[in-house]
Amino acid sequence: MAETLALAHEASREERYEALSTRWAALLGAESNRMANLANTAAVLKEAFDWHWVGFYLVDAYRDELVLGPFQGPLACTRLHHGRGVCAAAWDTASVQVVPDVRKFDGHVACSSLTESELVIPIVVADLVVSVLDIDSSTRGDVSVADVKGLAPLVRFLENNWNSWE
Ligand code: SME
């Protein structure tokens, strides 16, 4: 990967999303290995937004669980189950979960006690959730629909390319 991120330090979060929105193909498009691309996606998001934890859980269809995928941040829970936690809610309902205060989310799975807010976006391919993108912030109220909007080009890119990656 010859690309470097080089986002201006002073850029707002919105400007960072804007700068990234057209760059996903350049950052990831040359590689056809899915895990490598998810790993670099986590790295890019960590570098751009300095989230406490950012990464992917992958649907393990055989065990009917979510299993930890590429991520950046502290040690995390390796397996998540239906009906428990924010990631499972996104998986079970195929819908985005914006949680400004994790204490108010019944059943939140606290992999890290430092997480205060969380955003989980399902990756949906051919009508099936194949993965979730999980973002944890150590600041309460730090995630909103603006982040969902900012991440939409990435999510579209992942969904469109998922099955062409080995
Ligand atoms: N908090 C998540 C578990 C995953 S960690 O945040 C990395 C949940 O409630 O599903």
mmCIF file of all heavy atoms in Angstrom, residues 36-89:
data_model
loop_
_atom_site.group_PDB
_atom_site.id
_atom_site.type_symbol
_atom_site.label_atom_id
_atom_site.label_comp_id
_atom_site.label_asym_id
_atom_site.label_seq_id
_atom_site.Cartn_x
_atom_site.Cartn_y
_atom_site.Cartn_z
ATOM 1 N N ALA A 36 -6.931 -8.402 5.096
ATOM 2 C CA ALA A 36 -5.944 -7.323 4.958
ATOM 3 C C ALA A 36 -6.659 -5.982 4.811
ATOM 4 O O ALA A 36 -6.263 -4.979 5.419
ATOM 5 C CB ALA A 36 -5.046 -7.593 3.747
ATOM 6 N N ASN A 37 -7.717 -5.964 4.026
ATOM 7 C CA ASN A 37 -8.448 -4.710 3.822
ATOM 8 C C ASN A 37 -9.189 -4.265 5.079
ATOM 9 O O ASN A 37 -9.241 -3.073 5.388
ATOM 10 C CB ASN A 37 -9.404 -4.848 2.638
ATOM 11 C CG ASN A 37 -8.662 -4.754 1.315
ATOM 12 O OD1 ASN A 37 -7.641 -4.072 1.228
ATOM 13 N ND2 ASN A 37 -9.149 -5.444 0.300
ATOM 14 N N LEU A 38 -9.753 -5.207 5.815
ATOM 15 C CA LEU A 38 -10.429 -4.828 7.064
ATOM 16 C C LEU A 38 -9.401 -4.331 8.077
ATOM 17 O O LEU A 38 -9.660 -3.390 8.838
ATOM 18 C CB LEU A 38 -11.228 -6.008 7.624
ATOM 19 C CG LEU A 38 -12.379 -6.522 6.741
ATOM 20 C CD1 LEU A 38 -13.131 -7.653 7.446
ATOM 21 C CD2 LEU A 38 -13.343 -5.401 6.365
ATOM 22 N N ALA A 39 -8.239 -4.951 8.087
ATOM 23 C CA ALA A 39 -7.181 -4.519 9.006
ATOM 24 C C ALA A 39 -6.747 -3.088 8.697
ATOM 25 O O ALA A 39 -6.609 -2.245 9.595
ATOM 26 C CB ALA A 39 -5.990 -5.475 8.919
ATOM 27 N N ASN A 40 -6.553 -2.795 7.421
ATOM 28 C CA ASN A 40 -6.154 -1.431 7.068
ATOM 29 C C ASN A 40 -7.296 -0.437 7.277
ATOM 30 O O ASN A 40 -7.051 0.728 7.622
ATOM 31 C CB ASN A 40 -5.654 -1.382 5.621
ATOM 32 C CG ASN A 40 -4.154 -1.541 5.558
ATOM 33 O OD1 ASN A 40 -3.457 -1.298 6.544
ATOM 34 N ND2 ASN A 40 -3.642 -1.944 4.408
ATOM 35 N N THR A 41 -8.536 -0.876 7.111
ATOM 36 C CA THR A 41 -9.667 0.010 7.393
ATOM 37 C C THR A 41 -9.658 0.415 8.867
ATOM 38 O O THR A 41 -9.816 1.594 9.210
ATOM 39 C CB THR A 41 -11.004 -0.692 7.063
ATOM 40 O OG1 THR A 41 -11.001 -1.049 5.695
ATOM 41 C CG2 THR A 41 -12.181 0.215 7.357
ATOM 42 N N ALA A 42 -9.462 -0.573 9.740
ATOM 43 C CA ALA A 42 -9.404 -0.265 11.173
ATOM 44 C C ALA A 42 -8.251 0.696 11.467
ATOM 45 O O ALA A 42 -8.393 1.642 12.253
ATOM 46 C CB ALA A 42 -9.259 -1.555 11.984
ATOM 47 N N ALA A 43 -7.123 0.477 10.812
ATOM 48 C CA ALA A 43 -5.952 1.339 11.031
ATOM 49 C C ALA A 43 -6.235 2.771 10.578
ATOM 50 O O ALA A 43 -5.892 3.734 11.262
ATOM 51 C CB ALA A 43 -4.740 0.774 10.292
ATOM 52 N N VAL A 44 -6.880 2.898 9.422
ATOM 53 C CA VAL A 44 -7.181 4.227 8.890
ATOM 54 C C VAL A 44 -8.150 4.969 9.830
ATOM 55 O O VAL A 44 -7.952 6.142 10.157
ATOM 56 C CB VAL A 44 -7.787 4.130 7.468
ATOM 57 C CG1 VAL A 44 -8.377 5.464 7.032
ATOM 58 C CG2 VAL A 44 -6.723 3.675 6.476
ATOM 59 N N LEU A 45 -9.182 4.261 10.293
ATOM 60 C CA LEU A 45 -10.164 4.917 11.170
ATOM 61 C C LEU A 45 -9.538 5.287 12.507
ATOM 62 O O LEU A 45 -9.822 6.346 13.066
ATOM 63 C CB LEU A 45 -11.386 4.015 11.367
ATOM 64 C CG LEU A 45 -12.231 3.781 10.105
ATOM 65 C CD1 LEU A 45 -13.374 2.815 10.397
ATOM 66 C CD2 LEU A 45 -12.776 5.100 9.554
ATOM 67 N N LYS A 46 -8.680 4.428 13.008
ATOM 68 C CA LYS A 46 -8.002 4.734 14.283
ATOM 69 C C LYS A 46 -7.111 5.973 14.124
ATOM 70 O O LYS A 46 -7.114 6.871 14.959
ATOM 71 C CB LYS A 46 -7.181 3.517 14.717
ATOM 72 C CG LYS A 46 -6.393 3.702 15.988
ATOM 73 C CD LYS A 46 -7.256 3.578 17.216
ATOM 74 C CE LYS A 46 -6.402 3.576 18.486
ATOM 75 N NZ LYS A 46 -7.154 3.979 19.660
ATOM 76 N N GLU A 47 -6.386 5.998 13.017
ATOM 77 C CA GLU A 47 -5.475 7.128 12.801
ATOM 78 C C GLU A 47 -6.255 8.423 12.556
ATOM 79 O O GLU A 47 -5.887 9.491 13.050
ATOM 80 C CB GLU A 47 -4.554 6.832 11.610
ATOM 81 C CG GLU A 47 -3.493 7.896 11.417
ATOM 82 C CD GLU A 47 -2.536 7.570 10.270
ATOM 83 O OE1 GLU A 47 -2.475 6.416 9.830
ATOM 84 O OE2 GLU A 47 -1.854 8.513 9.812
ATOM 85 N N ALA A 48 -7.347 8.323 11.801
ATOM 86 C CA ALA A 48 -8.087 9.535 11.439
ATOM 87 C C ALA A 48 -8.890 10.094 12.607
ATOM 88 O O ALA A 48 -9.033 11.315 12.740
ATOM 89 C CB ALA A 48 -9.018 9.239 10.267
ATOM 90 N N PHE A 49 -9.438 9.219 13.464
ATOM 91 C CA PHE A 49 -10.378 9.698 14.482
ATOM 92 C C PHE A 49 -9.957 9.374 15.911
ATOM 93 O O PHE A 49 -10.610 9.809 16.855
ATOM 94 C CB PHE A 49 -11.774 9.123 14.205
ATOM 95 C CG PHE A 49 -12.283 9.482 12.832
ATOM 96 C CD1 PHE A 49 -12.299 8.542 11.805
ATOM 97 C CD2 PHE A 49 -12.689 10.777 12.548
ATOM 98 C CE1 PHE A 49 -12.732 8.886 10.531
ATOM 99 C CE2 PHE A 49 -13.122 11.132 11.281
ATOM 100 C CZ PHE A 49 -13.150 10.183 10.267
ATOM 101 N N ASP A 50 -8.898 8.594 16.042
ATOM 102 C CA ASP A 50 -8.377 8.235 17.356
ATOM 103 C C ASP A 50 -9.456 7.687 18.297
ATOM 104 O O ASP A 50 -9.532 8.060 19.471
ATOM 105 C CB ASP A 50 -7.662 9.437 18.006
ATOM 106 C CG ASP A 50 -6.724 8.982 19.119
ATOM 107 O OD1 ASP A 50 -6.297 7.809 19.084
ATOM 108 O OD2 ASP A 50 -6.459 9.778 20.033
ATOM 109 N N TRP A 51 -10.308 6.807 17.756
ATOM 110 C CA TRP A 51 -11.309 6.165 18.607
ATOM 111 C C TRP A 51 -10.606 5.294 19.645
ATOM 112 O O TRP A 51 -9.482 4.827 19.432
ATOM 113 C CB TRP A 51 -12.231 5.268 17.772
ATOM 114 C CG TRP A 51 -12.918 5.934 16.628
ATOM 115 C CD1 TRP A 51 -12.647 5.781 15.306
ATOM 116 C CD2 TRP A 51 -14.018 6.857 16.695
ATOM 117 N NE1 TRP A 51 -13.512 6.544 14.554
ATOM 118 C CE2 TRP A 51 -14.353 7.212 15.383
ATOM 119 C CE3 TRP A 51 -14.747 7.406 17.751
ATOM 120 C CZ2 TRP A 51 -15.385 8.093 15.079
ATOM 121 C CZ3 TRP A 51 -15.768 8.274 17.460
ATOM 122 C CH2 TRP A 51 -16.081 8.612 16.144
ATOM 123 N N HIS A 52 -11.298 5.010 20.736
ATOM 124 C CA HIS A 52 -10.737 4.109 21.761
ATOM 125 C C HIS A 52 -10.530 2.705 21.174
ATOM 126 O O HIS A 52 -9.518 2.052 21.412
ATOM 127 C CB HIS A 52 -11.711 4.067 22.943
ATOM 128 C CG HIS A 52 -11.321 3.105 24.008
ATOM 129 N ND1 HIS A 52 -10.094 3.147 24.640
ATOM 130 C CD2 HIS A 52 -11.983 2.039 24.561
ATOM 131 C CE1 HIS A 52 -10.016 2.164 25.532
ATOM 132 N NE2 HIS A 52 -11.143 1.489 25.490
ATOM 133 N N TRP A 53 -11.520 2.277 20.408
ATOM 134 C CA TRP A 53 -11.446 0.940 19.792
ATOM 135 C C TRP A 53 -12.204 1.000 18.483
ATOM 136 O O TRP A 53 -13.302 1.569 18.414
ATOM 137 C CB TRP A 53 -12.108 -0.094 20.712
ATOM 138 C CG TRP A 53 -11.836 -1.536 20.387
ATOM 139 C CD1 TRP A 53 -10.872 -2.331 20.929
ATOM 140 C CD2 TRP A 53 -12.558 -2.379 19.462
ATOM 141 N NE1 TRP A 53 -10.932 -3.609 20.397
ATOM 142 C CE2 TRP A 53 -11.965 -3.663 19.494
ATOM 143 C CE3 TRP A 53 -13.628 -2.175 18.602
ATOM 144 C CZ2 TRP A 53 -12.411 -4.726 18.707
ATOM 145 C CZ3 TRP A 53 -14.080 -3.230 17.813
ATOM 146 C CH2 TRP A 53 -13.469 -4.494 17.879
ATOM 147 N N VAL A 54 -11.650 0.465 17.441
ATOM 148 C CA VAL A 54 -12.378 0.393 16.170
ATOM 149 C C VAL A 54 -12.030 -0.918 15.482
ATOM 150 O O VAL A 54 -10.859 -1.313 15.425
ATOM 151 C CB VAL A 54 -12.079 1.611 15.263
ATOM 152 C CG1 VAL A 54 -10.599 1.804 15.050
ATOM 153 C CG2 VAL A 54 -12.786 1.500 13.931
ATOM 154 N N GLY A 55 -13.054 -1.610 15.015
ATOM 155 C CA GLY A 55 -12.765 -2.875 14.353
ATOM 156 C C GLY A 55 -14.014 -3.586 13.888
ATOM 157 O O GLY A 55 -15.111 -3.015 13.875
ATOM 158 N N PHE A 56 -13.812 -4.823 13.532
ATOM 159 C CA PHE A 56 -14.879 -5.613 12.923
ATOM 160 C C PHE A 56 -15.133 -6.884 13.721
ATOM 161 O O PHE A 56 -14.202 -7.497 14.245
ATOM 162 C CB PHE A 56 -14.482 -6.022 11.489
ATOM 163 C CG PHE A 56 -14.376 -4.852 10.559
ATOM 164 C CD1 PHE A 56 -13.171 -4.147 10.444
ATOM 165 C CD2 PHE A 56 -15.471 -4.411 9.833
ATOM 166 C CE1 PHE A 56 -13.066 -3.044 9.603
ATOM 167 C CE2 PHE A 56 -15.379 -3.316 9.001
ATOM 168 C CZ PHE A 56 -14.179 -2.633 8.886
ATOM 169 N N TYR A 57 -16.400 -7.226 13.810
ATOM 170 C CA TYR A 57 -16.781 -8.587 14.182
ATOM 171 C C TYR A 57 -17.354 -9.229 12.931
ATOM 172 O O TYR A 57 -18.060 -8.579 12.158
ATOM 173 C CB TYR A 57 -17.806 -8.587 15.319
ATOM 174 C CG TYR A 57 -17.161 -8.345 16.663
ATOM 175 C CD1 TYR A 57 -16.993 -7.059 17.159
ATOM 176 C CD2 TYR A 57 -16.695 -9.402 17.429
ATOM 177 C CE1 TYR A 57 -16.377 -6.832 18.382
ATOM 178 C CE2 TYR A 57 -16.075 -9.192 18.662
ATOM 179 C CZ TYR A 57 -15.917 -7.903 19.133
ATOM 180 O OH TYR A 57 -15.299 -7.691 20.336
ATOM 181 N N LEU A 58 -17.018 -10.492 12.730
ATOM 182 C CA LEU A 58 -17.452 -11.210 11.537
ATOM 183 C C LEU A 58 -18.481 -12.266 11.918
ATOM 184 O O LEU A 58 -18.346 -12.906 12.977
ATOM 185 C CB LEU A 58 -16.233 -11.878 10.884
ATOM 186 C CG LEU A 58 -15.135 -10.877 10.511
ATOM 187 C CD1 LEU A 58 -13.789 -11.580 10.401
ATOM 188 C CD2 LEU A 58 -15.479 -10.184 9.210
ATOM 189 N N VAL A 59 -19.479 -12.435 11.079
ATOM 190 C CA VAL A 59 -20.468 -13.473 11.345
ATOM 191 C C VAL A 59 -19.822 -14.837 11.115
ATOM 192 O O VAL A 59 -19.310 -15.111 10.023
ATOM 193 C CB VAL A 59 -21.709 -13.299 10.454
ATOM 194 C CG1 VAL A 59 -22.658 -14.484 10.625
ATOM 195 C CG2 VAL A 59 -22.416 -11.983 10.782
ATOM 196 N N ASP A 60 -19.832 -15.644 12.169
ATOM 197 C CA ASP A 60 -19.380 -17.031 12.072
ATOM 198 C C ASP A 60 -20.648 -17.863 11.872
ATOM 199 O O ASP A 60 -21.359 -18.179 12.838
ATOM 200 C CB ASP A 60 -18.646 -17.409 13.373
ATOM 201 C CG ASP A 60 -18.207 -18.872 13.395
ATOM 202 O OD1 ASP A 60 -18.729 -19.673 12.590
ATOM 203 O OD2 ASP A 60 -17.352 -19.198 14.241
ATOM 204 N N ALA A 61 -20.964 -18.156 10.610
ATOM 205 C CA ALA A 61 -22.244 -18.793 10.291
ATOM 206 C C ALA A 61 -22.313 -20.208 10.871
ATOM 207 O O ALA A 61 -23.381 -20.677 11.251
ATOM 208 C CB ALA A 61 -22.434 -18.826 8.778
ATOM 209 N N TYR A 62 -21.174 -20.857 10.978
ATOM 210 C CA TYR A 62 -21.151 -22.235 11.475
ATOM 211 C C TYR A 62 -21.556 -22.265 12.953
ATOM 212 O O TYR A 62 -22.389 -23.068 13.366
ATOM 213 C CB TYR A 62 -19.751 -22.814 11.274
ATOM 214 C CG TYR A 62 -19.630 -24.251 11.691
ATOM 215 C CD1 TYR A 62 -20.267 -25.253 10.955
ATOM 216 C CD2 TYR A 62 -18.884 -24.606 12.809
ATOM 217 C CE1 TYR A 62 -20.160 -26.581 11.350
ATOM 218 C CE2 TYR A 62 -18.777 -25.931 13.206
ATOM 219 C CZ TYR A 62 -19.414 -26.903 12.478
ATOM 220 O OH TYR A 62 -19.310 -28.221 12.867
ATOM 221 N N ARG A 63 -21.001 -21.347 13.747
ATOM 222 C CA ARG A 63 -21.327 -21.323 15.184
ATOM 223 C C ARG A 63 -22.447 -20.355 15.520
ATOM 224 O O ARG A 63 -22.864 -20.260 16.670
ATOM 225 C CB ARG A 63 -20.057 -20.993 15.993
ATOM 226 C CG ARG A 63 -19.106 -22.176 16.008
ATOM 227 C CD ARG A 63 -17.789 -21.912 16.684
ATOM 228 N NE ARG A 63 -17.890 -21.434 18.051
ATOM 229 C CZ ARG A 63 -16.861 -21.404 18.895
ATOM 230 N NH1 ARG A 63 -15.679 -21.835 18.499
ATOM 231 N NH2 ARG A 63 -17.008 -20.945 20.109
ATOM 232 N N ASP A 64 -22.925 -19.623 14.507
ATOM 233 C CA ASP A 64 -23.997 -18.641 14.696
ATOM 234 C C ASP A 64 -23.633 -17.638 15.800
ATOM 235 O O ASP A 64 -24.417 -17.378 16.721
ATOM 236 C CB ASP A 64 -25.327 -19.353 15.014
ATOM 237 C CG ASP A 64 -26.528 -18.459 14.732
ATOM 238 O OD1 ASP A 64 -26.387 -17.512 13.930
ATOM 239 O OD2 ASP A 64 -27.600 -18.696 15.322
ATOM 240 N N GLU A 65 -22.427 -17.095 15.685
ATOM 241 C CA GLU A 65 -21.908 -16.106 16.628
ATOM 242 C C GLU A 65 -21.171 -15.028 15.841
ATOM 243 O O GLU A 65 -20.880 -15.222 14.656
ATOM 244 C CB GLU A 65 -20.898 -16.756 17.592
ATOM 245 C CG GLU A 65 -21.462 -17.801 18.504
ATOM 246 C CD GLU A 65 -20.387 -18.605 19.246
ATOM 247 O OE1 GLU A 65 -19.193 -18.570 18.847
ATOM 248 O OE2 GLU A 65 -20.750 -19.279 20.205
ATOM 249 N N LEU A 66 -20.871 -13.943 16.527
ATOM 250 C CA LEU A 66 -19.932 -12.966 15.959
ATOM 251 C C LEU A 66 -18.565 -13.271 16.525
ATOM 252 O O LEU A 66 -18.413 -13.494 17.735
ATOM 253 C CB LEU A 66 -20.339 -11.541 16.346
ATOM 254 C CG LEU A 66 -21.640 -11.006 15.752
ATOM 255 C CD1 LEU A 66 -21.965 -9.631 16.347
ATOM 256 C CD2 LEU A 66 -21.553 -10.909 14.235
ATOM 257 N N VAL A 67 -17.567 -13.269 15.644
ATOM 258 C CA VAL A 67 -16.203 -13.533 16.106
ATOM 259 C C VAL A 67 -15.334 -12.310 15.784
ATOM 260 O O VAL A 67 -15.518 -11.652 14.754
ATOM 261 C CB VAL A 67 -15.634 -14.836 15.471
ATOM 262 C CG1 VAL A 67 -15.514 -14.739 13.954
ATOM 263 C CG2 VAL A 67 -14.277 -15.177 16.087
ATOM 264 N N LEU A 68 -14.421 -12.030 16.688
ATOM 265 C CA LEU A 68 -13.543 -10.867 16.542
ATOM 266 C C LEU A 68 -12.761 -10.908 15.230
ATOM 267 O O LEU A 68 -12.207 -11.948 14.860
ATOM 268 C CB LEU A 68 -12.572 -10.841 17.730
ATOM 269 C CG LEU A 68 -11.620 -9.652 17.826
ATOM 270 C CD1 LEU A 68 -12.387 -8.346 18.022
ATOM 271 C CD2 LEU A 68 -10.641 -9.867 18.993
ATOM 272 N N GLY A 69 -12.756 -9.783 14.541
ATOM 273 C CA GLY A 69 -11.970 -9.640 13.316
ATOM 274 C C GLY A 69 -10.886 -8.591 13.512
ATOM 275 O O GLY A 69 -10.542 -8.238 14.652
ATOM 276 N N PRO A 70 -10.372 -8.048 12.411
ATOM 277 C CA PRO A 70 -9.309 -7.042 12.516
ATOM 278 C C PRO A 70 -9.777 -5.822 13.296
ATOM 279 O O PRO A 70 -10.899 -5.354 13.120
ATOM 280 C CB PRO A 70 -9.045 -6.675 11.054
ATOM 281 C CG PRO A 70 -9.460 -7.886 10.284
ATOM 282 C CD PRO A 70 -10.642 -8.434 11.023
ATOM 283 N N PHE A 71 -8.908 -5.319 14.170
ATOM 284 C CA PHE A 71 -9.274 -4.156 14.978
ATOM 285 C C PHE A 71 -8.033 -3.395 15.402
ATOM 286 O O PHE A 71 -6.914 -3.885 15.275
ATOM 287 C CB PHE A 71 -10.085 -4.571 16.218
ATOM 288 C CG PHE A 71 -9.271 -5.274 17.282
ATOM 289 C CD1 PHE A 71 -8.761 -4.573 18.373
ATOM 290 C CD2 PHE A 71 -9.010 -6.635 17.186
ATOM 291 C CE1 PHE A 71 -8.008 -5.209 19.359
ATOM 292 C CE2 PHE A 71 -8.260 -7.283 18.166
ATOM 293 C CZ PHE A 71 -7.755 -6.571 19.245
ATOM 294 N N GLN A 72 -8.273 -2.199 15.950
ATOM 295 C CA GLN A 72 -7.216 -1.396 16.573
ATOM 296 C C GLN A 72 -7.737 -0.978 17.935
ATOM 297 O O GLN A 72 -8.861 -0.478 18.051
ATOM 298 C CB GLN A 72 -6.937 -0.144 15.749
ATOM 299 C CG GLN A 72 -6.389 -0.414 14.365
ATOM 300 C CD GLN A 72 -4.882 -0.327 14.305
ATOM 301 O OE1 GLN A 72 -4.279 0.547 14.904
ATOM 302 N NE2 GLN A 72 -4.272 -1.230 13.569
ATOM 303 N N GLY A 73 -6.933 -1.158 18.948
ATOM 304 C CA GLY A 73 -7.350 -0.781 20.295
ATOM 305 C C GLY A 73 -7.045 -1.885 21.271
ATOM 306 O O GLY A 73 -6.356 -2.852 20.933
ATOM 307 N N PRO A 74 -7.575 -1.766 22.496
ATOM 308 C CA PRO A 74 -7.268 -2.763 23.521
ATOM 309 C C PRO A 74 -7.884 -4.130 23.226
ATOM 310 O O PRO A 74 -8.819 -4.245 22.438
ATOM 311 C CB PRO A 74 -7.884 -2.176 24.799
ATOM 312 C CG PRO A 74 -8.408 -0.841 24.464
ATOM 313 C CD PRO A 74 -8.366 -0.646 22.990
ATOM 314 N N LEU A 75 -7.340 -5.121 23.914
ATOM 315 C CA LEU A 75 -7.853 -6.497 23.886
ATOM 316 C C LEU A 75 -9.377 -6.486 23.944
ATOM 317 O O LEU A 75 -9.964 -5.727 24.716
ATOM 318 C CB LEU A 75 -7.311 -7.205 25.126
ATOM 319 C CG LEU A 75 -7.578 -8.684 25.321
ATOM 320 C CD1 LEU A 75 -6.682 -9.488 24.395
ATOM 321 C CD2 LEU A 75 -7.326 -9.063 26.765
ATOM 322 N N ALA A 76 -10.020 -7.343 23.129
ATOM 323 C CA ALA A 76 -11.492 -7.301 23.058
ATOM 324 C C ALA A 76 -12.098 -8.680 23.229
ATOM 325 O O ALA A 76 -11.415 -9.703 23.105
ATOM 326 C CB ALA A 76 -11.903 -6.717 21.708
ATOM 327 N N CYS A 77 -13.402 -8.709 23.510
ATOM 328 C CA CYS A 77 -14.142 -9.972 23.583
ATOM 329 C C CYS A 77 -14.021 -10.667 22.228
ATOM 330 O O CYS A 77 -14.140 -10.001 21.189
ATOM 331 C CB CYS A 77 -15.621 -9.718 23.853
ATOM 332 S SG CYS A 77 -15.942 -8.507 25.137
ATOM 333 N N THR A 78 -13.788 -11.955 22.235
ATOM 334 C CA THR A 78 -13.603 -12.643 20.956
ATOM 335 C C THR A 78 -14.920 -13.136 20.358
ATOM 336 O O THR A 78 -15.030 -13.250 19.140
ATOM 337 C CB THR A 78 -12.645 -13.844 21.100
ATOM 338 O OG1 THR A 78 -13.153 -14.716 22.102
ATOM 339 C CG2 THR A 78 -11.253 -13.382 21.463
ATOM 340 N N ARG A 79 -15.918 -13.430 21.198
ATOM 341 C CA ARG A 79 -17.177 -13.969 20.672
ATOM 342 C C ARG A 79 -18.357 -13.215 21.265
ATOM 343 O O ARG A 79 -18.382 -12.927 22.466
ATOM 344 C CB ARG A 79 -17.303 -15.456 21.023
ATOM 345 C CG ARG A 79 -16.184 -16.302 20.421
ATOM 346 C CD ARG A 79 -16.723 -17.351 19.491
ATOM 347 N NE ARG A 79 -15.643 -17.892 18.655
ATOM 348 C CZ ARG A 79 -15.832 -18.289 17.406
ATOM 349 N NH1 ARG A 79 -17.021 -18.196 16.842
ATOM 350 N NH2 ARG A 79 -14.833 -18.759 16.702
ATOM 351 N N LEU A 80 -19.322 -12.884 20.417
ATOM 352 C CA LEU A 80 -20.533 -12.191 20.860
ATOM 353 C C LEU A 80 -21.734 -13.005 20.392
ATOM 354 O O LEU A 80 -21.676 -13.661 19.336
ATOM 355 C CB LEU A 80 -20.574 -10.776 20.269
ATOM 356 C CG LEU A 80 -19.388 -9.869 20.655
ATOM 357 C CD1 LEU A 80 -19.394 -8.596 19.817
ATOM 358 C CD2 LEU A 80 -19.422 -9.528 22.149
ATOM 359 N N HIS A 81 -22.799 -12.939 21.175
ATOM 360 C CA HIS A 81 -23.932 -13.843 20.926
ATOM 361 C C HIS A 81 -25.224 -13.082 20.656
ATOM 362 O O HIS A 81 -25.405 -11.958 21.139
ATOM 363 C CB HIS A 81 -24.089 -14.778 22.141
ATOM 364 C CG HIS A 81 -22.835 -15.529 22.441
ATOM 365 N ND1 HIS A 81 -21.909 -15.093 23.369
ATOM 366 C CD2 HIS A 81 -22.308 -16.642 21.870
ATOM 367 C CE1 HIS A 81 -20.880 -15.933 23.382
ATOM 368 N NE2 HIS A 81 -21.092 -16.876 22.483
ATOM 369 N N HIS A 82 -26.105 -13.722 19.919
ATOM 370 C CA HIS A 82 -27.425 -13.142 19.617
ATOM 371 C C HIS A 82 -28.066 -12.581 20.879
ATOM 372 O O HIS A 82 -28.022 -13.208 21.946
ATOM 373 C CB HIS A 82 -28.366 -14.228 19.079
ATOM 374 C CG HIS A 82 -28.128 -14.588 17.649
ATOM 375 N ND1 HIS A 82 -28.293 -13.704 16.614
ATOM 376 C CD2 HIS A 82 -27.767 -15.773 17.080
ATOM 377 C CE1 HIS A 82 -28.037 -14.320 15.465
ATOM 378 N NE2 HIS A 82 -27.706 -15.571 15.716
ATOM 379 N N GLY A 83 -28.686 -11.411 20.730
ATOM 380 C CA GLY A 83 -29.526 -10.890 21.800
ATOM 381 C C GLY A 83 -28.787 -10.222 22.933
ATOM 382 O O GLY A 83 -29.407 -9.789 23.903
ATOM 383 N N ARG A 84 -27.455 -10.163 22.849
ATOM 384 C CA ARG A 84 -26.674 -9.565 23.930
ATOM 385 C C ARG A 84 -25.694 -8.532 23.395
ATOM 386 O O ARG A 84 -24.750 -8.886 22.685
ATOM 387 C CB ARG A 84 -25.876 -10.644 24.687
ATOM 388 C CG ARG A 84 -26.490 -11.031 26.013
ATOM 389 C CD ARG A 84 -25.654 -12.086 26.706
ATOM 390 N NE ARG A 84 -25.847 -13.410 26.108
ATOM 391 C CZ ARG A 84 -24.989 -14.427 26.236
ATOM 392 N NH1 ARG A 84 -23.865 -14.272 26.900
ATOM 393 N NH2 ARG A 84 -25.267 -15.592 25.684
ATOM 394 N N GLY A 85 -25.944 -7.262 23.704
ATOM 395 C CA GLY A 85 -24.982 -6.222 23.371
ATOM 396 C C GLY A 85 -25.308 -5.456 22.104
ATOM 397 O O GLY A 85 -26.260 -5.765 21.368
ATOM 398 N N VAL A 86 -24.507 -4.440 21.856
ATOM 399 C CA VAL A 86 -24.755 -3.505 20.759
ATOM 400 C C VAL A 86 -24.453 -4.151 19.408
ATOM 401 O O VAL A 86 -25.199 -3.986 18.442
ATOM 402 C CB VAL A 86 -23.896 -2.226 20.957
ATOM 403 C CG1 VAL A 86 -24.297 -1.168 19.946
ATOM 404 C CG2 VAL A 86 -24.036 -1.678 22.378
ATOM 405 N N CYS A 87 -23.350 -4.897 19.343
ATOM 406 C CA CYS A 87 -22.992 -5.547 18.073
ATOM 407 C C CYS A 87 -24.048 -6.566 17.680
ATOM 408 O O CYS A 87 -24.461 -6.635 16.511
ATOM 409 C CB CYS A 87 -21.625 -6.225 18.197
ATOM 410 S SG CYS A 87 -20.274 -5.054 18.391
ATOM 411 N N ALA A 88 -24.502 -7.346 18.655
ATOM 412 C CA ALA A 88 -25.529 -8.345 18.351
ATOM 413 C C ALA A 88 -26.824 -7.662 17.913
ATOM 414 O O ALA A 88 -27.520 -8.165 17.027
ATOM 415 C CB ALA A 88 -25.776 -9.236 19.567
ATOM 416 N N ALA A 89 -27.136 -6.514 18.509
ATOM 417 C CA ALA A 89 -28.355 -5.787 18.102
ATOM 418 C C ALA A 89 -28.254 -5.378 16.637
ATOM 419 O O ALA A 89 -29.223 -5.503 15.881
ATOM 420 C CB ALA A 89 -28.565 -4.579 19.001
#
